[in-house]
Amino acid sequence: MSQEQLQQLKTRALDEIKKVSDQNQLQNLEIKYLGRKGELTKILRTVGELPEAERGKMGDLANQVKQVLASEIGRVKKSLSEKGAGAVEENEWIDVTASKVKDGFGHLNPVSKIQYELEDIFSSMGFMVLDGPELESEYYNFEALNIPSWHPAREMQDTFYVEGDGLLMRTHTSPMQVRTMEKYGAPLRAIVPGRCFRNEATDARHEHTFYQLEGFMVDKNISMANLKAVLEVVAKKLYGPETHLRLRPKYYPFVEPGVNGEVTCFLCKGKGCRLCKNIGWLEIFGAGLIHPNVLKAGGINPEKWSGFAFGFGLTRLAMLKYGIDDIRLFCSGDIRFLNQF
Ligand code: PHE
């Protein structure tokens, strides 16, 4: 062993000690160098065998290295145990003058707010909350829903068709009616909030991407009275106890009879104002009793079971509730818009 090799051993040992991250590793190093059979101990033992000329120098140096390593191990041992007790290490520091990071609160999109509110109301009445595919098949979006081939929604101008295998971007959340019936059978209660797409020329009232909330219930002897009772509870929870609900006939191929649901304008309480265009009523959903053909498509026997279905325009509800006059703001990604809610 030369003096040079001893120096190298010292450098290597110090380097290893520096990289230690727990007491265990440190103890292993202590054994490796300073233990009874440790590298340095072995060297010290052989110093006596060296020629006299070298003995003194090597002995001094080896002892010196031993001291340096022992004191370094001692220092790291102390620092590790303090760290374990939650203390700050010598060379770590906290800048107490640094300015505080500004608290930034995220904002829910107004559509999400209405959606969560409706999810709470419907789950309290025993409805499941489900998700459905946005990329749909022509079958579930149209055929299974009794939508005849001449229906305008089938036109290229209204629907985004996707190349291959009869796929399209769903034009409404109604395709989930049949999907859910197939999966769960009767009886059944579920709502499906979600994004829908129509090939619209966009303006303040039309957008190619918007949100609906579908709902349906299948059970024994379900009638229009059940539909009205459930949706009246929802309308009162959403707009206040003095709210009334009226149903007016409207054609949808997948319900029979079909209706438009309107609530008394929450702004003027039915007297007539700018929001309701002086009518006193606001149209907020389409609904009806599920057509027997749709029940059949879902594998449910229409002789035994009946059901109602409805579809809220979530985006429309948010526009009405918050007085938003341009639909394009919802997906604009403009933080100044979102910050208001
Ligand atoms: N899917 C219809 C629409 O997009 C709404 C609706 C749903 C009507 C369920 C009746 C029953 O306009």
Side-chain angles (χ1 to χ4, degrees), residues 172 174 177 198 212 214 252 254-255 286-288 309-311:
H172 50 179
S174 303
Q177 289 185 25
R198 285 187 203 173
Q212 288 192 341
E214 193 81 8
Y252 295 99
F254 36 95
V255 285
F310 54 87

Side-chain angles (χ1 to χ4, degrees), residues 142-194:
F142 295 133
E143 250 118 81
L145 287 172
N146 202 33
I147 299 179
S149 53
W150 47 260
H151 197 280
R154 289 234 179 177
E155 297 277 325
M156 298 290 263
Q157 299 92 285
D158 284 328
T159 301
F160 289 112
Y161 286 92
V162 175
E163 271 178 34
D165 295 341
L167 293 177
L168 47 81
M169 299 309 289
R170 66 173 173 198
T171 58
H172 50 179
T173 41
S174 303
M176 274 301 281
Q177 289 185 25
V178 170
R179 282 185 179 277
T180 310
M181 288 178 209
E182 284 176 344
K183 182 160 180 193
Y184 295 98
L188 173 73
R189 286 178 212 190
I191 59 162
V192 188

